[in-house]
């Protein structure tokens, strides 16, 4: 029996050592992959920068090794990374154009989408081209893609264009079923965040302000698309009213929303025409991760810091619902701004706020 327990113990220890060695080797492999992916890269001649619109657009993509190991999200596109990548593509002579691939892309901020779109407009000022393709365009991806010189759609595809809306949830009656009544003290007619607990419909003041900001956002979206696609704002509103999402794909061409219907394998020939290449010539491509590792030209002048403040505003990190959530921690922000104020190399600070 004693010998049996010795063998069992030795086996357990052996398994533990094996798991430890495998774990260390796995971490080293992941670190190696991350290090190799962040190595400086050269851009080949006749390169196309591919913007793959798949994932979630956020202010910043902060995935680290612990996020990868824990199975966290790796499909986040950082707004700061994307803007910098477009700028690098504009200034690199070997990058001839941008190809936008529309996919399952989401963003809860039209302000962020507008920032990307403005960067794409600026890219075109260099004389380079942009081509967009999608099996399906969501309203967000179409808003970005509409800036392209050519917008192509799968012959069986769809373009979502339906306008924007807001929906408010009211829980006063639900709470009453459990004997809960909310007591609220507020100042100002437009302070409407607590209405969901005290009312059963939108107040006139809240409806006024929601209508105002939704109308403003939609007007900006329509004006941008109208300018790029050479259609009127009135036509775009009519398309939204008629819910063209389920229209025949060929009708999108007549609406001037797309320039043609192509399958994905036909797109390469169209890109080669823009690049004035032969059918047998190769096209090099580079994605977001790759172009971020391409050296950018050193810029002279005073340093301006951009401080990203996004998430819920809390007083101390303990106010966050989860440590993994992005928050605007009052204590940390104050300390960071103090440090920037004391930095003689920083001549100005831009604070970019994205908070509910």
């Amino acid at each position: 029996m004693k010998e049996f327990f010795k063998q069992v113990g030795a086996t357990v220890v052996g398994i533990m050592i094996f798991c430890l060695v495998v774990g260390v080797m796995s971490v080293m492999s992941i670190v190696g992959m991350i290090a190799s992916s962040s190595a400086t890269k050269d851009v080949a001649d006749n390169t196309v920068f591919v913007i793959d619109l798949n994932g979630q657009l956020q202010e910043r993509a902060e995935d680290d090794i612990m996020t990868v190991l824990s199975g966290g999200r790796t499909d986040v596109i950082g707004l700061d990374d994307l803007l910098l990548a477009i700028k690098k593509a504009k200034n690199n002579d070997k990058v001839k154009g941008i190809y936008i691939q529309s996919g399952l892309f989401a963003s809860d901020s039209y302000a962020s989408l507008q920032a990307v779109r403005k960067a794409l407009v600026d890219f075109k000022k260099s004389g380079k081209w942009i081509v967009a393709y999608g099996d399906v365009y969501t309203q967000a991806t179409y808003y970005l893609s509409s800036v392209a010189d050519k917008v192509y759609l799968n012959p069986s595809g769809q373009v979502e264009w339906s306008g924007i809306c807001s929906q408010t949830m009211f829980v006063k009656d639900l709470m009453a079923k459990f004997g809960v009544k909310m007591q609220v003290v507020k100042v100002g007619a437009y302070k409407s965040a607590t209405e969901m607990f005290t009312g059963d419909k939108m107040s006139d003041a809240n409806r006024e302000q929601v209508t105002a900001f939704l109308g403003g956002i939609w007007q900006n979206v329509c004006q941008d698309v109208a300018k790029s696609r050479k259609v009127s704002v009135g036509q775009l509103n009519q398309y939204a009213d008629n819910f063209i999402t389920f229209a025949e794909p060929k009708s999108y061409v007549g609406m001037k929303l797309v320039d043609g219907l192509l399958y994905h394998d036909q797109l390469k020939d169209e890109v080669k025409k823009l690049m004035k290449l032969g059918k047998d010539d190769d096209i090099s491509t580079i994605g977001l991760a790759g172009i971020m590792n391409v050296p950018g030209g050193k810029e002279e002048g005073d340093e301006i810091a951009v401080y990203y403040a996004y998430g819920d505003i809390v007083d101390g990190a303990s106010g966050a619902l989860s440590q993994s959530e992005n928050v605007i921690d009052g204590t940390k922000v104050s300390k960071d701004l103090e440090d920037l104020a004391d930095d003689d190399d920083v001549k100005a600070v831009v604070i970019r706020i994205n908070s509910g």
Side-chain angles (χ1 to χ4, degrees):
M1 183 63 72
K2 187 176 179 181
E3 196 65 29
F4 171 76
F5 282 116
K6 279 185 179 181
Q7 292 180 0
V8 171
T11 303
V12 171
V13 172
I15 292 174
M16 291 176 64
I17 293 174
F18 174 77
C19 292
L20 180 62
V21 171
V22 171
V24 171
M25 292 180 64
S26 298
V27 171
M28 291 177 64
S29 298
I30 293 174
V31 171
M33 288 188 292
I34 293 175
S36 63
S37 67
S38 61
T40 301
K41 294 186 177 181
D42 294 325
V43 180
D45 291 329
N46 295 324
T47 292
V48 177
F49 173 34
V50 178
I51 300 179
D52 187 4
L53 294 181
N54 270 294
Q56 175 78 31
L57 181 66
Q58 293 185 0
E59 287 292 315
R60 307 189 80 182
E62 297 180 314
D63 287 345
D64 54 21
I65 186 171
M66 294 309 297
T67 304
V68 176
L69 289 174
S70 62
R73 292 190 57 172
T74 57
D75 60 343
V76 174
I77 301 174
L79 175 63
D80 56 338
D81 288 344
L82 186 53
L83 296 179
L84 178 59
I86 294 171
K87 184 177 181 180
K88 284 187 174 184
K90 174 189 174 184
N91 296 330
N92 193 301
D93 293 335
K94 294 182 178 180
V95 177
K96 304 303 180 183
I98 289 178
Y99 166 54
I100 300 175
Q101 172 67 54
S102 176
L104 297 176
F105 179 74
S107 172
D108 57 2
S109 170
Y110 269 95
S112 298
L113 292 174
Q114 187 181 55
V116 176
R117 199 178 190 282
K118 285 183 176 180
L120 292 171
V121 171
D122 182 66
F123 174 87
K124 291 176 64 175
K125 292 179 181 178
S126 65
K128 301 179 181 182
W129 48 263
I130 300 176
V131 169
Y133 179 85
D135 294 323
V136 174
Y137 287 100
T138 65
Q139 191 162 272
T141 57
Y142 184 78
Y143 176 56
L144 295 180
S145 300
S146 63
V147 74
D149 299 278
K150 295 291 183 180
V151 179
Y152 294 109
L153 177 69
N154 185 293
S156 300
Q158 293 177 325
V159 177
E160 180 194 3
W161 190 257
S162 55
I164 55 179
C165 67
S166 174
Q167 186 173 16
T168 305
M169 181 173 62
F170 298 96
V171 297
K172 183 186 74 170
D173 293 341
L174 175 63
M175 292 191 305
K177 294 180 184 296
F178 296 93
V180 177
K181 183 178 181 180
M182 184 74 71
Q183 293 182 341
V184 175
V185 177
K186 69 172 185 176
V187 178
Y190 295 95
K191 293 290 186 180
S192 58
T194 59
E195 283 185 2
M196 65 179 295
F197 303 112
T198 59
D200 52 18
K201 64 179 181 179
M202 294 177 74
S203 66
D204 292 339
N206 190 28
R207 185 175 295 278
E208 178 189 350
Q209 66 182 354
V210 171
T211 301
F213 75 69
L214 286 182
I217 293 171
W218 180 243
Q219 186 70 9
N220 284 333
V221 169
C222 287
Q223 287 175 349
D224 289 342
V225 174
K227 185 176 180 180
S228 295
R229 297 302 305 171
K230 303 297 187 294
V231 297
S232 69
V233 172
Q235 284 176 301
L236 291 174
N237 278 313
Q238 185 178 0
Y239 296 158
D241 291 340
N242 292 339
F243 197 65
I244 62 168
T245 303
F246 298 105
E248 286 292 324
K250 61 183 179 182
S251 66
Y252 297 127
V253 180
M255 297 176 192
K256 298 184 180 179
L257 296 179
V258 302
D259 295 293
L261 304 179
L262 297 175
Y263 290 106
H264 190 270
D265 60 343
Q266 297 174 300
L267 188 66
K268 187 177 290 186
D269 291 336
E270 297 300 319
V271 171
K272 286 184 176 180
K273 289 178 185 177
L274 288 170
M275 300 177 72
K276 298 178 181 179
L277 298 175
K279 286 192 174 183
D280 297 329
D281 292 329
D282 293 328
I283 301 174
S284 297
T285 61
I286 189 169
L288 178 60
I291 204 166
M292 288 301 294
N293 297 321
V294 173
K298 185 178 180 181
E299 298 183 1
E300 303 294 335
D302 292 333
E303 205 170 299
I304 298 176
V306 180
Y307 189 89
Y308 287 82
Y310 54 105
D312 291 337
I313 300 174
V314 299
D315 214 3
S318 59
L321 296 176
S322 169
Q323 294 299 318
S324 64
E325 291 185 353
N326 294 311
V327 296
I328 303 174
D329 182 348
T331 304
K332 184 178 185 304
V333 171
S334 298
K335 179 63 170 64
D336 290 342
L337 294 180
E338 270 187 26
D339 293 341
L340 289 171
D342 294 336
D343 190 335
D344 294 334
D345 293 330
V346 175
K347 305 304 181 184
V349 178
V350 176
I351 304 179
R352 181 178 174 87
I353 303 173
N354 187 344
S355 174

